[in-house]
């Protein structure tokens, strides 16, 4: 009798645990996520104290599934009445608007600036895209950015009809090209810094980064070591921005899963799956590109290929000794000057001829070669496929002769 009683009690308790465990643990997971987000927001606010005149804001975006998502951004205090051009700034992967604060601090003197944390990155909420395919993820992010431009930046009746300028870095440039192509009435100027996705090839360290992006190796390692890293940084009294970036790197990003869907890595190639050079050639707005001389992810010779494809008519600039992450106090004034020059131009860039070059490169399957692992695993080399192909096989002609 006692055996049956004990078995019944165990069965009841087991059933209660199975039923109530998700209900009990779900709020705890939300609480942990909320605490981590609150710490990041506090650190971000402390970072802003060094840049007076900047304020933070948030906007609630409703996705197609009916989910409300909080998009967070930074802006300067200038109003639409000041008459300056409006500039939207988009960051790259594994970053946030804090990484672009030196640039924002310079540009805000001449522009009405909005710096957005892309959905799934920084301190903005996720869009719920982990189960979507690569094309669906791209469309969802572009739709969110378009809504942000309409609902937040152009909500004022005085600026409703005016298009804006967009400065985008790395992964942000991939979304900026899609925004300018699908909604040309929203964008007047594009300034793309170290843009990924135009060509599928990656730079010297592209294979390493592709491996990390696909496997989440560095992300998993940082999440394991976070219990040691956080107390160590606090004990060393490191800067606020450093602590923010470390905590941000240890956070769970939906954007990382979205990025992994765009990259293919194997021992021979590391490629961007859906290069948008053809989409870029259809952009009707004014365009300028910035490349870093020491960029190991987006090689500088891509600028030379673009110049040759457009016979020198595309505005491509190179910053000497600049790495991929070029938003430092050293290079921020140069980038701000380029933005000022671009937004003041009257003639659009002639990039329509890129379409023919992109089509012919695709025909000969030049996109099938990327940054390859050499026989010595310790060294990575970049195959300058586009430059080689242009020299040896192709003779581009604007007239089609």
């Amino acid at each position: 009798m006692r055996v049956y009683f004990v078995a019944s009690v165990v069965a009841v308790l087991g059933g209660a645990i199975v039923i109530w465990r998700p209900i009990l643990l779900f709020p705890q997971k939300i609480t942990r996520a909320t605490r981590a987000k609150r710490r990041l927001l506090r650190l971000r606010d402390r970072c802003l104290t060094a840049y007076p005149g900047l304020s933070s804001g948030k906007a609630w975006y409703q996705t197609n599934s009916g989910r409300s998502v909080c998009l967070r951004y930074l802006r300067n205090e200038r109003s639409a009445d000041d008459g300056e051009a409006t500039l939207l700034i988009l960051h790259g992967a594994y970053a946030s608007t804090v990484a672009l604060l030196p640039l924002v601090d310079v540009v805000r003197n001449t522009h009405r600036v909005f710096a957005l944390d892309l959905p799934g990155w920084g301190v903005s909420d996720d869009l719920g895209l982990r189960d979507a395919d690569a094309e669906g993820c791209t469309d969802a992010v572009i739709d969110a950015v378009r809504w942000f431009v309409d609902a937040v930046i152009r909500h004022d009746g005085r600026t409703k009809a005016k298009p804006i300028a967009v400065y985008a870095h790395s992964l942000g440039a991939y979304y900026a090209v899609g925004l300018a192509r699908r909604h040309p009435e929203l964008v007047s100027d594009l300034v793309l810094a170290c843009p990924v996705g135009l060509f599928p090839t990656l730079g010297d360290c592209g294979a390493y980064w592709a491996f990390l992006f696909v496997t989440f190796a560095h992300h998993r390692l940082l999440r394991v070591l976070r219990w040691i890293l956080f107390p160590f940084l606090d004990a060393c009294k490191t800067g606020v921005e450093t602590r923010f970036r470390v905590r941000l790197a240890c956070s769970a990003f939906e954007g990382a899963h979205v990025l992994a869907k765009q990259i293919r890595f194997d021992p021979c190639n590391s490629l961007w799956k859906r290069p948008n050079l053809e989409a870029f050639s259809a952009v009707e707005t004014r365009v300028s590109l910035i490349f870093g001389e020491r960029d190991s992810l987006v090689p500088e010779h891509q600028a030379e290929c673009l110049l040759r494809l457009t016979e020198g008519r595309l505005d491509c600039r190179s910053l000497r000794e600049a790495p991929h992450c070029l938003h430092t106090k050293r290079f921020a004034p140069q980038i701000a000057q380029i933005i000022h020059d671009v937004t003041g131009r009257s003639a659009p860039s002639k990039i329509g001829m890129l379409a023919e070059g992109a089509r012919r490169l695709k025909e000969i399957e030049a996109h099938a070669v990327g940054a390859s692992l050499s026989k010595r695993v310790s060294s990575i080399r970049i195959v300058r496929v586009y430059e080689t192909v242009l020299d040896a096989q192709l003779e581009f002609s604007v007239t089609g002769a």
Side-chain angles (χ1 to χ4, degrees), residues 20 42 55 57 68-69 85 89 126 140 165 178 185 193 199 219 222 225-226 323 338-339 346 372 374:
W20 288 96
R42 285 197 296 267
S55 60
S68 294
V69 175
I89 296 180
D126 301 340
E185 73 283 356
F199 295 101
H219 176 65
L222 286 174
L225 298 177
R226 58 183 173 174
I338 293 173
I339 294 174
S346 58
S372 302
S374 62

Side-chain angles (χ1 to χ4, degrees), residues 88-96 99-100 103 116 118 121 166-177 190-197 290-292 295 297-298 319 322-328 335 339:
L88 171 63
I89 296 180
L90 302 177
H91 61 81
Y94 287 92
S96 71
L100 285 78
L103 175 62
L116 173 67
L118 289 170
W121 298 103
V166 178
Y167 172 85
H169 173 250
S170 191
L171 180 64
Y174 184 75
Y175 297 125
V177 171
L190 270 183
V191 183
L192 309 178
C194 308
V196 299
I290 304 173
F291 291 85
D295 191 345
L297 185 58
V298 180
L319 297 184
H324 184 71
C325 299
L326 40 74
H327 302 100
T328 61
I335 299 173
I339 294 174

Side-chain angles (χ1 to χ4, degrees), residues 322-391:
H324 184 71
C325 299
L326 40 74
H327 302 100
T328 61
K329 293 183 178 180
R330 176 183 176 183
F331 301 106
Q334 300 180 48
I335 299 173
Q337 184 61 46
I338 293 173
I339 294 174
H340 184 267
D341 294 343
V342 170
T343 54
R345 290 185 316 193
S346 58
S349 299
K350 303 295 184 182
I351 63 174
M353 61 188 70
L354 275 174
E356 176 65 15
R359 183 185 65 80
R360 298 188 67 181
L361 285 173
K362 190 174 182 180
E363 283 180 356
I364 63 172
E365 298 184 351
H367 61 283
V369 183
S372 302
L373 284 169
S374 62
K375 294 181 180 179
R376 296 181 60 185
V377 181
S378 59
S379 63
I380 300 294
R381 62 185 176 88
I382 176 68
V383 179
R384 297 190 173 185
V385 57
Y386 294 100
E387 189 174 90
T388 303
V389 167
L390 290 175
D391 286 336

Side-chain angles (χ1 to χ4, degrees), residues 295-322:
D295 191 345
S296 59
L297 185 58
V298 180
E300 186 188 17
H301 68 262
Q302 289 188 3
E304 183 179 349
C305 290
L306 291 170
L307 285 173
R308 297 184 65 182
L309 287 170
T310 59
E311 293 192 342
R313 299 188 186 185
L314 181 62
D315 184 13
C316 289
R317 313 191 189 194
S318 177
L319 297 184
R320 187 174 182 181
E321 298 184 357

